[in-house]
Amino acid sequence: TPSPSTSLGYLIPSFCLTGCPNAGITPPNAPGIWLFNALPIPGGSGSWNVFMNAYLSSQNFIAGLSYSPININTGGNNPTSPGAVLYAYYIFSQSITNTLNSPVDIYTMMLVGAFYSTLSASPIYAPITFYIFSPPIVLSPGVTMTVTVSLGFPYGIAYPIT
């Protein structure tokens, strides 16, 4: 959670995923797993087609679904020898129910966090990672889908204490 707060915003820019100030509890007014009914607009990168999630319109956000608050579990590995890489693990989980009267096609799923800057106390929602489904996932009316995203990051190397 960002801190400390001032009338002009936050003294240190930071990122938040749960219990975020001035944010809601569930998407699209809070961090979490957001679902879209379109693919991101691809851009070119040499001979590769690159999907840029910044080009996915908010009009493609699937509204009308019921989102549970995001659940986050953390962990890490224990080094067994000098030189072992230390990893931090983050597991994000969220349940989403189709409360609409028709099926929805899910083409893109994004894990979104809230970013706080020194210029504003209001969050800016930014994608952390995204996934593309082809063919799309079809979520039928009344069905609940639980989505889990696991991320791991290296953060150090073990060395003996002398």
Side-chain angles (χ1 to χ4, degrees):
T1 299
S3 68
S5 146
T6 70
S7 61
L8 299 175
Y10 294 88
L11 297 179
I12 302 170
S14 59
F15 210 70
C16 179
L17 290 165
T18 184
C20 305
N22 302 321
I25 299 172
T26 59
N29 300 311
I33 297 170
W34 295 21
L35 304 178
F36 295 86
N37 61 8
L39 296 172
I41 297 172
S45 176
S47 61
W48 293 92
N49 219 8
V50 179
F51 287 100
M52 308 293 283
N53 54 356
Y55 296 105
L56 189 55
S57 170
S58 61
Q59 295 174 345
N60 296 115
F61 176 80
I62 302 173
L65 305 179
S66 176
Y67 289 80
S68 70
I70 193 164
N71 183 37
I72 303 172
N73 291 308
T74 60
N77 65 329
N78 293 317
T80 57
S81 63
V85 177
L86 302 170
Y87 288 94
Y89 299 104
Y90 299 89
I91 301 170
F92 308 91
S93 182
Q94 191 164 26
S95 293
I96 304 159
T97 301
N98 182 354
T99 54
L100 303 171
N101 291 325
S102 60
V104 294
D105 292 337
I106 303 165
Y107 285 91
T108 305
M109 175 184 76
M110 283 188 197
L111 175 62
V112 174
F115 181 75
Y116 293 85
S117 74
T118 56
L119 301 176
S120 172
S122 298
I124 298 167
Y125 297 110
I128 297 169
T129 187
F130 69 102
Y131 304 91
I132 295 172
F133 304 108
S134 178
I137 294 172
V138 178
L139 188 60
S140 298
V143 173
T144 298
M145 170 176 70
T146 299
V147 178
T148 301
V149 175
S150 301
L151 301 174
F153 302 96
Y155 70 92
I157 297 175
Y159 65 93
I161 299 174
T162 56

